[in-house]
Amino acid sequence: YRSANNKFLSHLIDDLRKASLRFLTVYASVERLSTAVAEHEQIITAAEARDSKKVVALIQQNLDRTCTVAAAFLRSRTQGQTN
């Protein structure tokens, strides 16, 4: 986008990258990282066993936990800005 001289998109992408990095910093805490690794290992094991119902359930569980972490992160950012 920089090469297209689109400053709006360049700034938007830069902002998204910065926000993503902040989120990943929180998300990748040791506790969450070990949980995420274990969840992904379970998904791979179920996929290797061709257990599609279990794969779907595990992916949904993983997404639910990820959304919970993301929501808590965003709430903390919002609260930090209003205080």
Side-chain angles (χ1 to χ4, degrees):
Y1 300 103
R2 284 186 180 89
S3 61
N5 291 323
N6 190 327
K7 290 183 181 182
F8 173 78
L9 285 178
S10 292
H11 289 293
L12 179 64
I13 289 169
D14 287 342
D15 290 345
L16 287 172
R17 284 184 179 143
K18 290 174 189 172
S20 297
L21 182 58
R22 285 190 298 270
F23 172 73
L24 288 173
T25 301
V26 171
Y27 183 81
S29 70
V30 173
E31 178 184 325
R32 178 62 193 144
L33 187 58
S34 63
T35 302
V37 169
E39 289 173 352
H40 287 103
E41 287 174 346
Q42 290 175 348
I43 293 167
I44 291 167
T45 300
E48 289 173 341
R50 299 184 181 269
D51 187 344
S52 60
K53 288 182 181 181
K54 189 170 185 177
V55 169
V56 169
L58 289 168
I59 289 173
Q60 185 61 55
Q61 179 182 350
N62 178 263
L63 290 173
D64 289 346
R65 287 190 185 155
T66 301
C67 288
T68 299
V69 171
F73 171 74
L74 293 172
R75 251 187 256 106
S76 71
R77 280 196 69 214
T78 303
Q79 290 170 354
Q81 291 175 357
T82 59
N83 290 336

